[in-house]
């Protein structure tokens, strides 16, 4: 018997079959969602946007990988305006969205602190590419990790440079009496003691007391002055030292890594040494392809923050993939946090298959990176910052 097919009925049948295939395809693509938290408006917009952009590029690089596994990977971004108060509100919004399984951020340590506290009951993974306050990994949180060196690591790198490169017999240590400055200098004192470097004196000062401190430094004849603090007092201090004829090497933390420091210090800035947790992007051997992709996407060059945001996102995605594989489907937030803490990405040098830009990434039991890199920079005679040394600090060095 011959069957006759009506054209209209055939069209309807094709539509039903096609719709069924599309529905089946969509059903197989389970949603996996992550987020970023950083300043996207206000005075820190430029650097906060780097967190978002680095994460966007990492997600783009892993889209097909997750798609092949049957997952629809998406990213959403939140603007904290560098405000801890707003960070608390954002944390509540993120927690309410049960589809978000991990977060990259925040930029500011104060925001990371309140967000991590809010995430603690749900064990929602938070990976910071930029928050450096030492106390963030002293809370017993197993859902918070960071891939950037903490403030204490700067002091370790500075002390090692003072002992090994400057070969100083003694150091005069100055704090600007801020929490940041006191934290840096006290950590430095501990490491100098381990390295058997004498501390000529330790004083605190503000901008109004600079003249008196210069007299103390001059009388000490210390070959190195270490300043822990921000660029305002630091710029005034080094300028006053040079005006007073003090030729001691002048070193500080990343508070001096600012254009305003040079404006305040003027020519006295030449020769100043400082540590920074980021450094020039081109100092990373795997940065070329990232920089090319970044410029194509945003028509500008990336900063170190974007590089660390890319790697933080790559770590989160590695943990997300591992958790999903183990769960056999969409994992829970707790499963993702546990997987992230167990991530161990090897370093590689060049090529297109590198998982990280900043080197090997694994975490200690507290969420510190097992080995992190810092840059020791030095302003040359033209006031251009040059890499003086690359220091690697292990989590064990911070104890």
């Amino acid at each position: 018997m011959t069957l006759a097919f009506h054209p209209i009925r055939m069209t309807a049948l094709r539509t039903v079959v096609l719709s069924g295939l599309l529905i089946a395809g969509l059903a197989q693509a389970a949603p996996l969602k992550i987020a970023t938290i950083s300043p996207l408006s206000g005075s820190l917009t430029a650097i906060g946007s780097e967190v978002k952009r680095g994460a966007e590029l990492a997600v783009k690089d892993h889209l097909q990988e997750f798609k092949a596994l049957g997952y629809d990977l998406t990213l959403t971004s939140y603007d904290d305006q560098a405000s801890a108060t707003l960070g608390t509100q954002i944390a509540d919004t993120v927690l309410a969205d049960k589809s978000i399984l991990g977060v990259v951020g925040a930029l500011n340590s104060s925001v990371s602190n309140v967000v991590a506290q809010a995430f603690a009951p749900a064990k929602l993974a938070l990976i910071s590419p930029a928050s450096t306050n030492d106390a963030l990994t002293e809370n017993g949180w197993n859902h918070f990790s960071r891939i950037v060196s903490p403030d204490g690591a700067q002091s370790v790198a500075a002390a090692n440079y003072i002992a090994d490169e400057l070969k100083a017999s003694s150091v005069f240590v100055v704090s600007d009496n801020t929490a940041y400055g006191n934290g840096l200098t006290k950590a430095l004192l501990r490491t100098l003691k381990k390295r058997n470097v004498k501390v000529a004196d330790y004083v605190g000062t503000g901008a109004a007391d600079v003249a008196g401190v210069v007299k103390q430094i001059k009388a000490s004849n210390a070959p190195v002055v270490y300043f822990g603090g921000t660029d305002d007092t630091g710029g005034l201090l080094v300028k006053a030292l040079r005006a007073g004829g003090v030729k001691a090497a002048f070193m500080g933390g990343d508070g001096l890594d600012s254009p305003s420091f040079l404006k305040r210090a003027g020519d006295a800035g030449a020769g100043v040494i400082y540590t920074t947790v980021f450094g020039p992007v081109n100092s990373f051997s795997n940065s070329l392809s990232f920089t090319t992709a970044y410029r194509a996407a945003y028509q500008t060059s990336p900063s170190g923050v974007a590089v660390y945001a890319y790697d933080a996102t790559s770590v989160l995605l590695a943990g997300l993939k591992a958790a999903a594989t183990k769960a056999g489907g969409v994992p829970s937030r707790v499963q993702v946090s546990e997987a992230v803490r167990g991530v161990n990405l090897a370093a590689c040098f060049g090529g297109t298959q590198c998982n990280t830009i900043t080197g090997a990434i694994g975490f200690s039991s507290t969420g510190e990176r097992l080995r992190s890199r810092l840059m020791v920079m030095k302003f040359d005679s033209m006031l251009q910052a040059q890499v003086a040394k690359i220091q690697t600090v292990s989590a064990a060095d911070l104890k």
Side-chain angles (χ1 to χ4, degrees), residues 221-295:
N221 288 317
V224 177
V225 175
Y226 181 89
F227 171 76
T230 52
D231 65 273
D232 46 1
T233 302
L236 294 175
L237 178 58
V238 71
K239 190 171 184 178
L241 284 171
R242 299 303 182 240
V246 178
K247 297 181 179 180
F250 190 91
M251 188 173 191
D254 57 6
L256 306 185
D257 188 7
S258 167
S260 56
F261 169 72
L262 291 177
K263 290 180 181 178
R264 292 184 171 98
D267 291 340
V272 168
I273 308 162
Y274 64 90
T275 55
T276 179
V277 296
F278 299 114
V281 172
N282 61 11
S283 65
F284 296 102
S285 60
N286 300 332
S287 65
L288 181 58
S289 59
F290 172 80
T291 299
T292 300
Y294 188 98
R295 286 173 177 163

Side-chain angles (χ1 to χ4, degrees), residues 319-391:
L320 185 57
K321 178 182 176 182
T325 300
K326 184 176 181 179
V330 177
S332 68
R333 287 172 167 175
V334 173
Q335 288 173 320
V336 174
S337 281
E338 291 175 349
V340 165
R341 189 53 68 82
V343 164
N344 191 351
L345 300 180
C348 63
F349 303 94
T352 58
Q353 301 302 315
C354 291
N355 292 316
T356 70
I357 301 171
T358 63
I361 301 177
F363 299 108
S364 70
S365 60
T366 64
E368 291 288 9
R369 189 168 177 170
L370 291 175
R371 292 175 65 82
S372 54
R373 190 196 78 160
L374 296 96
M375 308 292 289
V376 180
M377 308 294 293
K378 184 176 182 179
F379 290 115
D380 62 20
S381 60
M382 301 299 292
L383 303 181
Q384 298 295 312
Q386 306 293 335
V387 177
K389 189 171 184 179
I390 298 175
Q391 292 268 7

Side-chain angles (χ1 to χ4, degrees), residues 29-83:
L32 293 179
K33 189 176 181 181
I34 65 171
T36 63
I37 298 176
S38 66
L40 302 177
S41 64
S43 61
L44 294 181
T45 300
I47 191 169
S49 295
E50 293 285 82
V51 174
K52 177 184 177 183
R53 291 173 173 180
E56 286 175 341
L57 291 179
V59 167
K60 181 180 179 181
D61 284 349
H62 289 85
L63 271 179
Q64 293 305 312
E65 174 188 346
F66 277 87
K67 185 176 181 180
L69 295 173
Y71 296 105
D72 180 22
L73 179 65
T74 58
L75 171 71
T76 186
S77 296
Y78 295 90
D79 176 15
D80 63 32
Q81 298 179 25
S83 164

Side-chain angles (χ1 to χ4, degrees), residues 305-330:
V305 173
V307 172
Y308 275 83
Y310 180 93
D311 274 8
T313 308
S314 296
V315 168
L316 177 57
L317 295 179
L320 185 57
K321 178 182 176 182
T325 300
K326 184 176 181 179
V330 177

